Amino acid sequence: MVHVLSSRTLLHPTDPERSRAFYGERLGLAVYREFGEGPERGTVYFLGGGFLEVSGRSETPPSPALQLWLQVGDVTGAHEELRAQGVTIERPPVREPWGLVEMWISDPDGTRIVLVEVPADHPLRYRPGI
């Protein structure tokens, strides 16, 4: 059996400096650790219960199948903050038919980032009788 102690998503951007500026400065993700030197050095950011490592360089952007799902406490507040930071909002916060409030943005390589708020009355937070 595999006993996972920690996990991270590895992202090899086409322009590492641009991606570090996006994730670190515009999104404001806290740095867990940094390693290496030069423009392709690695930076690992906290992502709640996991990590995002931006390191190396790729000649092509990540597949559109890759998406980041980030739960936040207040998606409307995140919308206002990110818009003020100049982040392009692909879709403002919308309450989905399944009850979550989602907002969509993309990183500089086009990786979709879904910011999600789980409302207090949603079954993910509260299940009567359980």
Side-chain angles (χ1 to χ4, degrees), residues 85-102:
Q85 285 290 327
V87 173
T88 301
I89 309 297
E90 290 186 18
R91 195 186 78 174
V94 172
R95 187 166 188 141
E96 299 290 356
W98 47 89
L100 300 177
V101 182
E102 295 185 4

Side-chain angles (χ1 to χ4, degrees), residues 80-130:
E80 293 169 9
E81 289 177 26
L82 293 173
R83 194 175 61 208
Q85 285 290 327
V87 173
T88 301
I89 309 297
E90 290 186 18
R91 195 186 78 174
V94 172
R95 187 166 188 141
E96 299 290 356
W98 47 89
L100 300 177
V101 182
E102 295 185 4
M103 176 179 84
W104 301 344
I105 63 175
S106 289
D107 81 358
D109 279 331
T111 300
R112 175 171 285 170
I113 301 167
V114 182
L115 297 174
V116 178
E117 179 181 337
V118 180
D121 62 345
H122 193 277
L124 287 175
R125 287 191 188 233
Y126 176 73
R127 295 177 71 181
I130 293 180

